[in-house]
Amino acid sequence: MVAPIEDLLSFISASPSPYHAVAETGRRLAGAGFSELQLTEPWSPGGGLHWVQRGGALVAWADVTGSDEPFRVVGAHTDSPNLRIKPRPDTGTAGWRQLGVEVYGGALANSWLDRDLGLSGRVAVRTDAGISERLFRVDRPLLRIPQLAIHLDREISSQGLKLNAQQHLTPVWGVGPVTDGAFVTLLAEQLGVEAEAVLGWDVMVHDLTPPVRLGIHEELVAAPRIDNQLSCWAAIDALIATTESAAPPPVVPVVCLFDHEEVGSTSSTGADGSLLANVLERIDLAAGGGRERLLRRLAGSHAASADGAHATHPNYPERHDPEHRVAIDGGPVIKINANQRYATDANTAALLIDACGRAGVPHQVFVSRNDQPCGSTIGPLTSARLGMATADIGVAQLSMHSARELCGVQDPPRLAAALHAFLSG
């Protein structure tokens, strides 16, 4: 059996884009006995182990009995802040060939400098049967964003690095005159099609440095996309574990991996869209229910929003609430915000504390400083759209939104264990 951390690193390595994360998740679910259903096709009556996917989002569930138990939902997101290729990317100046990129989400721009970068995503291709979606991935060093030499920026040491997203983040990928269509040619060659068949793409850059264990005792994990592929991995691990129990749980466990959390979640695959609500209604209809019964089920259901949490930074301890220090490997973090940036309340926090206790793992609590506004998650959106009591939980990390992030080795399997207890009712 693969050790949990090695399995997490394998999941992250297989998932340079949200679309690859969904494909890897589907592969794991299929290996555990789940079958894929199509959103555009009728679903057979009854329960079962199933998943559906749309773009960079996926919903999976284990409805063993096909009856009317309440749902237990764990939500996470597949996307991470990064740089994405523009529709007309071929550009350059001063004898350099470059690719135009657009900043996606709240990326720490400086973390993408001087890294060897590959490309990944999905491409829309014209075929004889119509338009098809193809995954695309190049894991060789194609791109680099060179930082300006200190000799040409003497103020950087005193005034800090200042980057203009339009001017300073355009990667180089060669020398010579700009060639229109060079990027499309690359896509076509990698996919084995003619350039004219390439109709569109959602392609992004990814850091080629592999995920590793770090530290004198290898007690840390350094990897890209810890926020939030760690939570995706933990949620799917927890869901699969519920199917291995001797008796079915008194709830229907559901995992939803949304896309576009980093840009507000308002999309057909985001938490502010209708994907999860529609799937839950279809699960109920397949079990012989109707609108009234669905609303009763939702009223008795609970959700956990799993997303990264801020560990107390050793170099910036003053940026954290002094009474709510959060330690690396101190246990999953329950996140609370009175202004509803997180969805946790007293009752839902109690559910997560109970789940951690039943799983035999410690827990921590995060509250932001009053003068340091916190981020948000899919928790409030899921709770508002479904009327479902929700709490926020995650693993403590540093370097959130960097091209490369940091967490401990103990907390990822602890989160998976706590989510398993939560999904089991």
Side-chain angles (χ1 to χ4, degrees):
M1 179 180 292
V2 179
I5 287 301
E6 300 308 317
D7 191 53
L8 169 62
L9 300 188
S10 175
F11 181 88
I12 292 175
S13 293
S15 308
S17 77
Y19 318 109
H20 288 84
V22 166
E24 173 64 11
T25 300
R27 185 189 69 80
R28 291 171 176 240
L29 290 169
F34 287 70
S35 60
E36 183 181 4
L37 300 179
Q38 300 300 320
L39 289 167
T40 56
E41 300 292 334
W43 295 358
S44 299
L49 310 179
H50 301 293
W51 88 88
V52 296
Q53 64 187 62
R54 174 189 287 164
L58 177 148
V59 185
W61 64 96
D63 187 9
V64 178
T65 61
S67 56
D68 62 349
E69 295 95 344
F71 300 105
R72 279 293 175 96
V73 178
V74 172
H77 64 90
T78 59
D79 62 318
S80 303
N82 59 14
L83 307 175
R84 304 201 170 191
I85 307 302
K86 288 182 176 180
R88 297 179 63 185
D90 298 304
T91 187
T93 189
W96 292 93
R97 297 176 65 186
Q98 297 174 273
L99 280 185
V101 296
E102 187 175 8
V103 179
Y104 176 86
L108 280 174
N110 63 290
S111 69
W112 290 93
L113 302 179
D114 293 328
R115 291 185 179 274
D116 297 337
L117 304 172
L119 291 168
S120 57
R122 64 178 179 178
V123 183
V125 177
R126 180 190 287 114
T127 70
D128 292 339
I131 298 173
S132 68
E133 177 184 309
R134 303 274 295 277
L135 290 185
F136 167 84
R137 177 173 186 172
V138 179
D139 280 330
R140 66 182 179 91
L142 284 174
L143 308 169
R144 189 177 179 91
I145 306 172
Q147 190 168 186
L148 185 65
I150 194 170
H151 315 81
L152 304 176
D153 188 10
R154 294 292 185 180
E155 294 76 26
I156 189 173
S157 296
S158 59
Q159 299 183 14
L161 176 65
K162 299 178 181 179
L163 295 172
N164 179 285
Q166 175 68 21
Q167 184 176 356
H168 301 141
L169 295 180
T170 306
V172 300
W173 74 329
V175 294
V178 176
T179 304
D180 287 337
F183 178 69
V184 171
T185 298
L186 171 70
L187 294 180
E189 290 175 349
Q190 293 293 318
L191 297 174
V193 301
E194 298 296 325
E196 293 76 14
V198 176
L199 302 179
W201 55 82
D202 297 305
V203 171
M204 56 210 71
V205 306
H206 62 269
D207 179 22
L208 293 178
T209 308
V212 295
R213 293 182 65 154
L214 179 144
I216 190 170
H217 299 300
E218 296 189 340
E219 67 266 50
L220 300 170
V221 171
R225 303 179 297 279
I226 287 175
D227 174 18
N228 189 33
Q229 290 184 4
L230 185 159
S231 298
C232 296
W233 169 84
I236 293 301
D237 184 86
L239 177 64
I240 291 173
T242 66
T243 69
E244 299 168 350
S245 303
V251 294
V252 175
V254 179
V255 166
C256 189
L257 309 183
F258 294 105
D259 198 357
H260 300 137
E261 190 273 346
E262 299 293 358
V263 292
S265 295
T266 304
S267 72
S268 64
T269 53
D272 201 24
S274 61
L275 177 62
L276 178 57
N278 290 348
V279 170
L280 294 181
E281 183 169 6
R282 293 188 69 176
I283 292 172
D284 186 68
L285 290 170
R291 186 66 178 169
E292 195 272 340
R293 192 181 82 168
L294 172 64
L295 295 178
R296 286 192 286 109
R297 294 181 75 178
L298 291 176
S301 299
H302 294 88
S305 166
D307 205 346
H310 295 293
T312 300
H313 199 296
N315 297 337
Y316 303 90
E318 73 280 0
R319 299 297 181 96
H320 304 267
D321 187 271
E323 305 305 324
H324 295 86
R325 300 296 195 191
V326 173
I328 289 285
D329 277 342
V333 183
I334 298 171
K335 300 185 288 184
I336 297 174
N337 180 261
N339 294 298
Q340 293 300 293
R341 300 292 288 171
Y342 304 128
T344 313
D345 62 21
N347 291 323
T348 56
L351 282 176
L352 290 181
I353 293 170
D354 176 69
C356 288
R358 287 187 286 121
V361 302
H363 72 276
Q364 308 179 80
V365 177
F366 171 84
V367 175
S368 183
R369 288 176 60 97
N370 286 323
D371 56 359
Q372 188 78 40
C374 66
S376 190
T377 69
I378 63 169
L381 295 172
T382 303
S383 181
R385 286 199 65 86
L386 297 174
M388 187 181 294
T390 304
D392 281 276
I393 190 170
V395 165
Q397 66 174 97
L398 295 180
S399 304
M400 188 179 292
H401 285 201
S402 172
R404 196 163 179 83
E405 301 169 321
L406 189 71
C407 71
V409 299
Q410 297 182 53
D411 276 349
R414 285 173 173 168
L415 177 63
L419 295 180
H420 175 215
F422 176 79
L423 287 173
S424 299

